[in-house]
Amino acid sequence: MAKRFTIAVVGCGDISRYIALGVKLNPRIRIAACVDSVEETALAFAKRHGIPRHFTETAEMYEGVPGIDAVYLAVPHYLHHGMITDAVRRGIPVFCEKPVCTSLHDAMDICRMAREEGVKVGINYQYRYDSACYAMARAAQRGDLGDITYGRCNLPWYRDDDYFGLGRWRRRIETAGGGTLITQASHILDALLWAVRDKTPVAAQGMTAQRRFRDIEVEDLCMGTLEMDDGSILGISSSMIAVPEQPVSIEVYGSKGTGIYTGPESPRVRFLGAKVKREKTGIFAFHALFRSLEAFRRWILFDEPYLTSVEQSLPVLAAVLAVYASARSGRREPVDTRYRDFLK
Ligand SMILES: NC(=O)c1ccc[n+]([C@@H]2O[C@H](COP(=O)([O-])OP(=O)(O)OC[C@H]3O[C@@H](n4cnc5c(N)ncnc54)[C@H](O)[C@@H]3O)[C@@H](O)[C@H]2O)c1
């Protein structure tokens, strides 16, 4: 068997458990080392997943475990920029959890550096690899639904007290960048913006609220609208206080037909009004997260097309930041579209 694609995991918290499962189910990938600033967390993660080395510092890991093919970063948002650029400087490809970081300036800095150094950086917006979501977005991109005049997405989720109690970084703007919009709903907004990728968001209006978690800085409710350069409109609503939690939905309404996605558990897409060919991702794996990881591997090793490079993560970050700016100012705010230079 060919040498397995070897990664290190940095940040051994919630999402890394699922990545470790994805690696177990993929015989082409192995984890050579894990890093967590909390020693017991790194040790427990290494033991549970049979990982040979564990560290508390990324620099020690890079020195102690040479020759890794990529690093997977699953750390608080405020650490993303520094950890991505550190890996890029070392020439190591990066698979980083969303969002790329919390400022567009820093995100474009990462894009520039990745280009200069010739190092690939991917951001894990895995809904693009959800089979039903992919089929809907590709149908919209191919024009099967006609011109998309509006779209909307909704994330009615619930988070219990442990969510902010255990992950204290999630409480603060400085460490998380925001609440339910940037941390959870940016997934579905990314997928929606990707479905209408020929349009650019130019202005935003937003409202945020803290209805249940009142001793935190970030929002637990958010609603926003995005005005696109052709006059079409996208809407987003996001909650972490819906009881009971419901599936997310992404809807695109075109001049010929409509696509409606629900998921991510038991993902499903319905097409109304138009006859649509359901395109497949071409990657076989049990879950969108695992397909996203496998797609990253193929991109790094074989330069196969990859849907969520760091450049691709810029539109959603620009849109999210404009919704937040509007929620703060109470006015319609422009979207910073300078990122478009990186999508050419
Ligand atoms: N793709 C998805 O569906 C999905 C789901 C959940 C979270 N996420 C993303 O994953 C990332 C991590 O979120 P989480 O929920 O797993 O957070 P978490 O708080 O559960 O885990 C983060 C871990 O990072 C460790 N850490 C903190 N500082 C560190 C440092 N300097 N060096 C090494 N380790 C450090 C913490 O000790 C903790 O164990 C975030 O970007 C989040 O938005 C993605």
Side-chain angles (χ1 to χ4, degrees):
M1 189 171 154
K3 177 182 167 290
R4 285 187 291 170
F5 187 69
T6 301
I7 63 171
V9 169
V10 179
C12 304
D14 267 2
I15 190 65
S16 290
R17 291 182 289 153
Y18 296 98
I19 278 291
L21 176 60
V23 169
K24 264 182 208 140
L25 294 172
N26 189 332
R28 299 178 196 86
I29 309 182
R30 69 183 274 264
I31 303 174
C34 63
V35 183
D36 200 286
S37 49
V38 179
E39 228 261 305
E40 309 88 81
T41 306
L43 176 61
F45 191 82
K47 277 193 177 157
R48 191 170 317 124
H49 301 291
I51 299 166
R53 309 282 305 274
H54 74 278
F55 299 85
T56 55
E57 294 281 343
T58 49
E60 285 172 18
M61 179 274 292
Y62 289 129
E63 278 151 36
V65 188
I68 56 172
D69 295 306
V71 63
Y72 169 70
L73 300 177
V75 289
H77 302 165
Y78 74 104
L79 297 171
H80 287 192
H81 175 259
M83 285 200 181
I84 294 173
T85 51
D86 177 42
V88 167
R89 268 189 217 101
R90 295 170 189 270
I92 297 171
V94 179
F95 185 46
C96 181
E97 273 303 335
K98 41 47 66 171
V100 48
C101 54
T102 56
S103 98
L104 198 61
H105 174 273
D106 284 355
M108 291 191 293
D109 181 53
I110 292 170
C111 293
R112 247 186 307 272
M113 187 182 284
R115 278 192 185 174
E116 278 164 22
E117 303 290 332
V119 176
K120 290 172 175 166
V121 176
I123 305 299
N124 187 28
Y125 273 115
Q126 80 246 10
Y127 277 69
R128 295 195 191 193
Y129 285 100
D130 174 299
S131 48
C133 187
Y134 179 85
M136 187 186 72
R138 290 291 299 135
Q141 290 167 3
R142 286 195 312 266
D144 292 3
L145 304 176
D147 181 36
I148 307 295
T149 49
Y150 88 103
R152 63 176 187 177
C153 53
N154 183 30
L155 181 137
W157 281 2
Y158 178 79
R159 290 292 178 264
D160 63 17
D161 291 344
D162 280 352
Y163 181 74
F164 289 110
L166 298 177
R168 297 189 72 80
W169 65 270
R170 297 180 183 127
R171 291 166 167 249
R172 293 175 46 221
I173 299 285
E174 199 186 337
T175 47
T180 184
L181 175 61
I182 195 166
T183 303
Q184 287 135 12
S186 71
H187 269 302
I188 54 173
L189 185 57
D190 169 70
L192 179 55
L193 285 166
W194 183 55
V196 296
R197 64 184 173 185
D198 56 331
K199 306 173 198 280
T200 302
V202 289
Q205 298 189 62
M207 272 186 92
T208 57
Q210 290 162 327
R211 295 290 300 164
R212 188 165 97 77
F213 297 101
R214 288 175 192 269
D215 56 342
I216 56 166
E217 288 176 9
V218 302
E219 85 285 357
D220 54 24
L221 274 184
C222 179
M223 294 229 176
T225 51
L226 291 172
E227 193 180 314
M228 310 302 278
D229 56 351
D230 67 346
S232 53
I233 295 174
L234 305 184
I236 178 156
S237 47
S238 181
S239 157
M240 55 172 96
I241 58 174
V243 182
E245 176 170 300
Q246 294 298 305
V248 307
S249 56
I250 308 172
E251 304 167 2
V252 283
Y253 296 89
S255 53
K256 291 192 206 156
T258 291
I260 299 180
Y261 163 85
T262 52
E265 306 309 325
S266 310
R268 182 164 178 243
V269 61
R270 283 183 299 140
F271 291 108
L272 313 170
K275 200 164 171 50
V276 168
K277 180 178 164 289
R278 289 180 192 226
E279 201 174 311
K280 296 191 170 137
T281 62
I283 295 174
F284 183 77
F286 173 65
H287 189 275
L289 181 60
F290 308 160
R291 274 194 288 278
S292 176
L293 175 65
E294 170 62 9
F296 175 78
R297 183 190 75 90
R298 296 184 191 185
W299 182 46
I300 301 303
L301 289 186
F302 312 118
D303 212 22
E304 289 187 12
Y306 180 62
L307 301 178
T308 60
S309 65
V310 62
E311 290 85 358
Q312 288 289 317
S313 75
L314 297 178
V316 69
L317 180 62
V320 161
L321 294 176
V323 170
Y324 280 146
S326 167
R328 282 194 304 274
S329 72
R331 289 189 302 268
R332 180 170 166 271
E333 294 284 349
V335 176
D336 185 343
T337 54
R338 280 173 299 170
Y339 69 80
R340 281 186 301 188
D341 293 344
F342 292 94
L343 295 178
K344 287 171 189 157

